[in-house]
Amino acid sequence: MVVDLLAESAGRGNATALISDERVWTFDDLGLAVDKRVAELEADGLHAGGVVTTRVEPDSRGVIDLLAVWRLGAVPAPLNPRLSEAEFERARSTLRGAVVPAESQTILWTSGTSGQPRGVALSWANLAENAAGTIERLSLHDTDAWLLSLSPAHVGGLAIIVRSILLGSALFATGPYRTERISRLIDGPGEFNIQGRAVTHLSLVPTQLHQLLEFRGEAPPPPTLRCALIGGAHAPEGLVNRAREAGWPLALTYGATEMSSQISTAPPELSRQKPGTVGPPMPGVEVRITDDGEVETRGPTRALEYVGDVSAPLTDSLGWYRTGDMGRLDGDGHLWITGRRADRIVSGGVTIDAMEVEEAIRAHPSVIDACVVGVPDDVWGERVAAWVEPVVGEFDTEEVDAHLREVLSPGKVPRLWHVEAGLPRNANGKVDRTLARAVFGPATERA
């Protein structure tokens, strides 16, 4: 049974619900806008029980469309507008006619950074449990205002909408991420500081955080910003340190679409006390580490199942979801992510963690970012290859190679290099390792 999210937040009345470039909606206003959109969708032939695949932006229209589909009793499958036409059509064709669990509230299309993209069916219970856990972990209040800085087609963006409305807090929905605009919204006051509502929280992938730091320099955020939740991909140590030194209240999180967003989160204070940890598991979520170091998890936020043309089940017989990530739990029960199983490289019988090599490359002052992959090799099994995004005019392969040989064992030093601005990324901002790996052929090899 699809749940009407606004109905779950009844009684908010004149409280501020949604803030866009054009106007401000109270919860009553938002309900009327959603009713109007429902009538339009019905006139277009949409009916309860169907699956609706559509491109959705992180703006007021995107939020209202999503709420209207839920109010109508249909199941939204929001897709990122940054998908290519081929990717969009593939998602639509995969989901069209697919058997969808009766409890489905939404279907999200995974990014496919290390495998084939697929649909993930989430229930209302999944989304509500995730919202409750985040509210508890980050001590959220109805006086807060979260900036919708991620696409609603991304589980992190969808989670922002759900928890804001359930909590009765304001939601800034001002369109796709643009660094200058996000910086201005954070700073306030101004036309967006509505009824004393400044942006108190936002979610960022590491690339967005890097862009904000580059744009703002050492300028700290105002004290009204209480938390910047960083997730969606590995946050490099240097980037995190730079942000903290500039005064950003970072909370590091680790999650997955299959777990309705956050699996574990370290609030700002814990992130400062124990740099690098992603904190304890979220309330109700279990995490265990297998004998070979893989992170597995289960709990009430675990998705219903995969949707579409998929052969592998989402969990094992006991309900554990294999994340594919490597990690450890410390004595306090805090989780540390050490890499991804698929990113491990075996060269000459030596197992190499790509994340370790990437961190070493990023530590060099001529490097902005790096992606390390294994490239098949008849002699070594795999060779270590690095796509490097350089500081303009300052990158020298020989110099970086020498630097790496001081901090890494010889087998971990890349033999293949590709130097080009802008790492390949998917629509959600994650580095696409498949595309990065494909470039190594014309790359420059070092003996």
Side-chain angles (χ1 to χ4, degrees):
M1 180 67 180
V2 176
V3 173
D4 176 359
L5 179 57
L6 275 178
E8 295 295 308
S9 189
R12 303 291 182 184
N14 290 324
T16 301
L18 185 64
I19 302 167
S20 76
D21 290 350
E22 299 81 22
R23 59 165 294 182
V24 177
W25 286 262
T26 65
F27 277 90
D28 284 345
D29 293 336
L30 187 57
L32 293 174
V34 169
D35 283 341
K36 180 180 178 181
R37 184 61 180 146
V38 167
E40 294 171 349
L41 293 174
E42 287 179 321
D44 289 339
L46 185 64
H47 56 83
V51 176
V52 181
T53 56
T54 183
R55 290 183 171 93
V56 179
E57 293 281 12
D59 56 16
S60 57
R61 178 59 182 264
V63 173
I64 291 170
D65 277 356
L66 183 66
L67 296 176
V69 173
W70 278 334
R71 175 159 286 184
L72 188 59
V75 180
L79 297 174
N80 196 314
R82 257 55 70 188
L83 292 177
S84 67
E85 281 300 322
E87 290 170 322
F88 180 74
E89 286 306 319
R90 181 180 172 205
R92 290 192 67 179
S93 62
T94 298
L95 298 175
R96 187 184 299 119
V99 177
V100 176
E103 308 96 316
S104 297
Q105 179 79 11
T106 192
I107 299 171
L108 295 179
W109 193 246
T110 63
S111 59
T113 52
S114 60
Q116 293 299 319
R118 47 194 169 185
V120 178
L122 301 174
S123 69
W124 170 247
N126 294 152
L127 297 175
E129 285 285 348
N130 178 266
T134 306
I135 291 168
E136 177 183 333
R137 177 62 51 86
L138 296 179
S139 301
L140 302 180
H141 307 285
D142 60 6
T143 54
D144 294 329
W146 206 295
L147 176 60
L148 186 58
S149 43
L150 301 176
S151 167
H154 183 287
V155 69
L158 185 74
I160 293 171
I161 297 171
V162 171
R163 65 173 168 262
S164 294
I165 293 180
L166 286 182
L167 184 61
S169 59
L171 176 67
F172 281 79
T174 60
Y177 178 91
R178 298 197 303 274
T179 302
E180 181 177 0
R181 181 167 188 75
I182 295 299
S183 181
R184 186 159 62 90
L185 285 168
I186 292 169
D187 280 336
E191 66 268 35
F192 300 107
N193 191 6
I194 307 297
Q195 299 176 2
R197 295 297 183 96
V199 172
T200 60
H201 295 73
L202 79 163
S203 299
L204 299 170
V205 298
T207 301
Q208 293 172 333
L209 177 61
H210 169 77
Q211 291 168 344
L212 274 171
L213 294 178
E214 287 293 298
F215 178 77
R216 297 173 63 91
E218 302 306 315
T224 47
L225 183 70
R226 292 182 22 229
C227 177
L229 187 65
I230 310 300
H234 169 65
E237 181 181 357
L239 176 65
V240 171
N241 290 341
R242 180 184 174 192
R244 286 206 180 100
E245 289 171 2
W248 287 79
L250 301 187
L252 298 187
T253 187
Y254 165 70
T257 304
E258 288 85 350
M259 291 298 290
S260 308
S261 190
Q262 299 170 64
I263 294 172
S264 65
T265 295
E269 183 176 356
L270 177 59
S271 290
R272 287 191 297 269
Q273 293 172 349
K274 296 175 71 171
T277 183
V278 290
M282 300 298 287
V285 174
E286 299 177 72
V287 170
R288 71 178 184 184
I289 308 299
T290 64
D291 291 342
D292 62 351
E294 184 174 358
V295 179
E296 295 187 338
T297 183
R298 66 181 180 184
T301 62
R302 192 195 63 229
L304 298 171
E305 61 184 53
Y306 289 124
V307 175
D309 184 19
V310 292
S311 56
L314 191 142
T315 69
D316 66 14
S317 60
L318 296 178
W320 289 98
Y321 165 63
R322 297 184 60 183
T323 65
D325 294 308
M326 312 301 289
R328 62 182 178 86
L329 290 166
D330 65 20
D332 297 321
H334 297 161
L335 181 62
W336 302 71
I337 301 301
T338 58
R340 185 158 181 83
R341 179 184 291 279
D343 297 343
R344 289 198 162 186
I345 303 164
V346 180
S347 181
V350 177
T351 300
I352 300 163
D353 192 321
M355 186 160 51
E356 178 190 4
V357 182
E358 289 169 354
E359 288 283 13
I361 296 173
R362 292 188 192 104
H364 194 277
S366 69
V367 174
I368 295 175
D369 206 352
C371 173
V372 171
V373 296
V375 176
D377 183 87
D378 290 340
V379 176
W380 296 92
E382 289 183 292
R383 288 196 174 213
V384 181
W387 178 319
V388 175
E389 181 177 350
V391 173
V392 177
E394 295 186 16
F395 186 83
D396 182 276
T397 305
E398 298 282 351
E399 183 182 319
V400 175
D401 182 88
H403 156 73
L404 294 178
R405 291 182 185 278
E406 292 179 358
V407 296
L408 298 174
S409 60
K412 297 178 181 179
V413 176
R415 299 295 187 92
L416 296 165
W417 295 88
H418 182 81
V419 181
E420 182 180 346
L423 296 178
R425 297 182 185 275
N426 62 25
N428 290 333
K430 296 183 181 180
V431 173
D432 191 320
R433 293 183 181 274
T434 301
L435 291 179
R437 189 175 289 107
V439 80
F440 290 98
T444 302
E445 180 177 350
R446 290 188 51 79

